[in-house]
Amino acid sequence: MDHANNEAVSTSVDEAPAATPSRLPAGPAALIGVLALAAALTVGHLAAAFLGFGASPYLAVGNAAVDLAPSWLKDFAISAFGTMDKPVLLAGMAVVMVLLAAVAGLISRRRPLPGQWFIAVFGVLGIVAVYTRPNLGQLSVIAPVLSLLTGVIVFRVLHNAALNALLDAPFEEGPRSVGRRRILFTGVAVGAFLTGGLGQWLGSRRDAEGSRAAVGPLVPAEPAPPSPADADFAKLGTPTFLTANADFYRIDTALVVPQVRAEDWSLRIHGMVEKEITYTYADIRNRPLVERVVTLCCVSNPVGGPYISTAKFLGVDLAGLLDEAGVRPGAQQLYSTSVDGFTAGTPISTVLDPGRGAMLAIGMNGEPLPVEHGFPARLVVPGLYGYVSATKWVTDLEVTTWDARQAYWIQRGWAQQAPIKTESRIDAPQGAVPAGKVRLAGIAWAQHTGIAKVEVQLDNGPWQQAMLSADVTEDAWRMWWAEFDAAPGGHKASVRATDRSGYTQTDQVADVVPDGATGWHTITFTAR
């Protein structure tokens, strides 16, 4: 009897099922999270191709990050990365999202639910980011909703498939388990790549560049005077008087350059006006066009910084368009809105000043506006920093009061009034130069006031007046150069400008916030 029982126990032990693994390996688990993220974002990107690219969850979250970032962080990004600040932001977002997706996978090695909740939370953030964008309609939330559902579903499918494949080889990563998982993971990765590529292709079919090319030549009825030969001292190290379109600085809040075709564009003027008017691109182009040389400067430009350029802008007088609408008494600002939702507030008195030359520009340096500089149309108001005057891809102008509307940067602590400050910069020399006669050269600007004098100081010596370039217009920069005897060794040079009002730029150093940097630009160089 005892013998029989022992045999039964032995048989039971021998036939007990083998223990099965209780969780996925770390590597495949993390990869599941990353692949679910890729699938979610690319599906959202594809949906945004039909709803507006701004509805892409990835871009919407990026735009929200730009909007919510404190001013000091934006200033740091511009100073540290320049015009690469947006690619750096998008790349940084990608790295963070991949890491978080991997975490979602790692916390779900036993079951998929924790990772699904993790993904769902970020999906909701995408929905909120899209829903709160001022330039997107309510249907745009379809893109992040599809993105959320895709992420949750793909995560669960991959998790279950990987776990089932592992159960087929419970004690080791057998070739069958690894093979099945590899095929599935590769399929999802390829599918995500193709989906994202299709979304990008469909979105780019709006073809703003093709529309720009079809505009043809823009001929001004009032061309700007030709620039004289001595308008710059480029041979001595200054910039050329006119900045090539490809070299013109670009600072804006758009993560992706808006793609607007001329045939789809319109400009609405409304608010405190006698009658609301909407203009098409053809309406503007068929008017007599005026061409003006204007230097634009970004308020984020530090002392001696690069964010200043000059071009011939072509368009129509902004005051003329507002006169047709009939500005009502009590109006204080022209509240402009870009197609991407950016807003700026310009003093209405400045815009209506007949001597100011405020423009709705459609051309730049003899050709239609480049897409990255505002095609089909942008504002150009000489003498004001761009954040209150130079709205690109402009599509709406509301005549209103300061209390009724607060523009994008005003909400973030920047000044309401933003006249460009009288400043100057040293461009040459850079690094080491031969000892003896040394020429310093650079630029000075005081838009809509004009530069009267530039002085240069070497090694705390007496100020020496520099030679100025030809005065083309008070709305453009002027070049300068000065010559000094420089003994071998290190030297320090400073520059200051005086405008036609008699004001000499201050040596008091001020940050760019809230209304532009001040101080003398100082460089060091070595004479050998």
Side-chain angles (χ1 to χ4, degrees):
M1 187 69 176
D2 291 338
H3 178 71
N5 286 340
N6 288 338
E7 286 183 351
V9 170
S10 175
T11 302
S12 176
V13 171
D14 292 341
E15 294 178 356
T20 59
S22 59
R23 62 180 185 174
L24 293 173
L31 185 57
I32 286 172
V34 173
L35 290 176
L37 168 71
L41 293 180
T42 53
V43 166
H45 202 61
L46 176 60
F50 301 95
L51 299 166
F53 248 15
S56 170
Y58 182 55
L59 299 179
V61 170
N63 282 318
V66 170
D67 290 347
L68 296 174
S71 295
W72 65 265
L73 183 57
K74 295 179 183 180
D75 296 337
F76 168 77
I78 292 174
S79 62
F81 305 112
T83 55
M84 292 296 294
D85 59 336
K86 296 171 187 65
V88 168
L89 170 63
L90 291 175
M93 282 177 49
V95 171
V96 171
M97 294 174 79
V98 167
L99 292 176
L100 291 175
V103 169
L106 291 173
I107 65 175
S108 305
R109 295 174 66 183
R110 296 182 184 277
R111 55 197 183 98
L113 193 58
Q116 288 180 294
W117 276 111
F118 202 92
I119 290 175
V121 169
F122 281 92
V124 171
L125 291 178
I127 293 173
V128 172
V130 170
Y131 184 77
T132 55
R133 292 301 297 168
N135 59 315
L136 296 175
Q138 293 181 347
L139 287 179
S140 297
V141 297
I142 292 175
V145 167
L146 290 176
S147 183
L148 185 156
L149 293 175
T150 300
V152 170
I153 293 172
V154 169
F155 189 92
R156 187 174 190 88
V157 169
L158 289 179
H159 190 283
N160 289 344
L163 191 59
N164 289 336
L166 189 60
L167 289 174
D168 288 341
F171 292 114
E172 60 179 351
E173 288 275 75
R176 183 167 57 177
S177 171
V178 174
R180 287 183 181 180
R181 194 169 62 224
R182 183 176 297 161
I183 292 173
L184 181 61
F185 285 9
T186 301
V188 172
V190 171
F193 176 80
L194 293 177
T195 301
L198 178 61
Q200 188 67 29
W201 178 74
L202 290 173
S204 64
R205 290 188 66 189
R206 298 183 182 185
D207 196 16
E209 283 291 355
S211 176
R212 177 178 179 268
V215 168
L218 297 173
V219 181
E222 299 179 36
S227 302
D230 58 349
D232 63 52
F233 301 129
K235 292 182 179 179
L236 301 181
T238 72
T240 57
F241 178 69
L242 292 177
T243 309
N245 288 350
D247 299 327
F248 205 98
Y249 83 91
R250 179 196 162 205
I251 298 290
D252 52 55
T253 62
L255 281 180
V256 176
V257 175
Q259 302 292 311
V260 185
R261 301 189 307 168
E263 51 268 39
D264 299 331
W265 178 86
S266 65
L267 178 68
R268 177 188 178 212
I269 299 179
H270 62 109
M272 297 176 65
V273 295
E274 297 299 331
K275 62 175 179 177
E276 181 177 316
I277 301 178
T278 299
Y279 297 97
T280 66
Y281 188 83
D283 292 334
I284 301 300
R285 184 187 173 180
N286 292 334
R287 288 170 171 255
L289 301 177
V290 61
E291 186 179 53
R292 296 188 177 113
V293 176
V294 181
T295 295
L296 298 184
C297 184
C298 181
V299 73
S300 295
N301 200 36
V303 173
Y307 306 129
I308 180 169
S309 303
T310 300
K312 288 183 178 180
F313 289 98
L314 182 71
V316 299
D317 280 319
L318 194 52
L321 299 180
L322 293 176
D323 286 342
E324 292 176 12
V327 176
R328 292 178 180 172
Q332 296 173 318
Q333 72 161 321
L334 183 65
Y335 186 84
S336 53
T337 302
S338 167
V339 71
D340 70 342
F342 172 81
T343 57
T346 311
I348 198 73
S349 58
T350 302
V351 175
L352 295 178
D353 180 358
R356 177 68 64 158
M359 302 173 67
L360 175 71
I362 62 172
M364 182 176 175
N365 286 333
E367 58 186 64
L369 282 172
V371 174
E372 65 270 20
H373 288 293
F375 179 82
R378 67 172 297 168
L379 299 187
V380 174
V381 183
L384 300 181
Y385 284 119
Y387 80 97
V388 301
S389 70
T391 304
K392 291 181 277 192
W393 314 288
V394 64
T395 189
D396 187 276
L397 298 176
E398 180 182 357
V399 178
T400 184
T401 63
W402 295 115
D403 290 338
R405 288 284 198 172
Q406 278 204 324
Y408 183 92
W409 285 112
I410 308 304
Q411 297 175 29
R412 289 157 178 80
W414 293 73
Q416 187 182 91
Q417 306 290 329
I420 293 175
K421 296 181 177 179
T422 300
E423 287 290 323
S424 53
R425 185 181 78 192
I426 303 173
D427 290 279
Q430 297 181 5
V433 296
K437 294 290 184 182
V438 174
R439 282 184 175 176
L440 282 73
I443 60 175
W445 60 94
Q447 288 92 309
H448 207 65
T449 303
I451 291 294
K453 179 173 66 174
V454 172
E455 297 169 290
V456 188
Q457 181 188 61
L458 186 66
D459 298 329
N460 298 317
W463 288 96
Q464 177 177 316
Q465 191 162 330
M467 178 70 70
L468 292 177
S469 65
D471 186 14
V472 178
T473 168
E474 65 183 13
D475 292 327
W477 55 16
R478 292 186 77 176
M479 315 297 174
W480 59 266
W481 68 268
E483 191 173 71
F484 291 88
D485 288 318
H491 297 276
K492 181 182 74 171
S494 301
V495 64
R496 67 185 184 188
T498 301
D499 63 34
R500 286 180 177 162
S501 74
Y503 170 79
T504 299
Q505 72 178 94
T506 178
D507 63 340
Q508 298 299 309
V509 176
D511 191 18
V512 295
V513 181
D515 59 357
T518 63
W520 294 340
H521 186 213
T522 299
I523 67 163
T524 58
F525 65 93
T526 301
R528 295 175 179 172

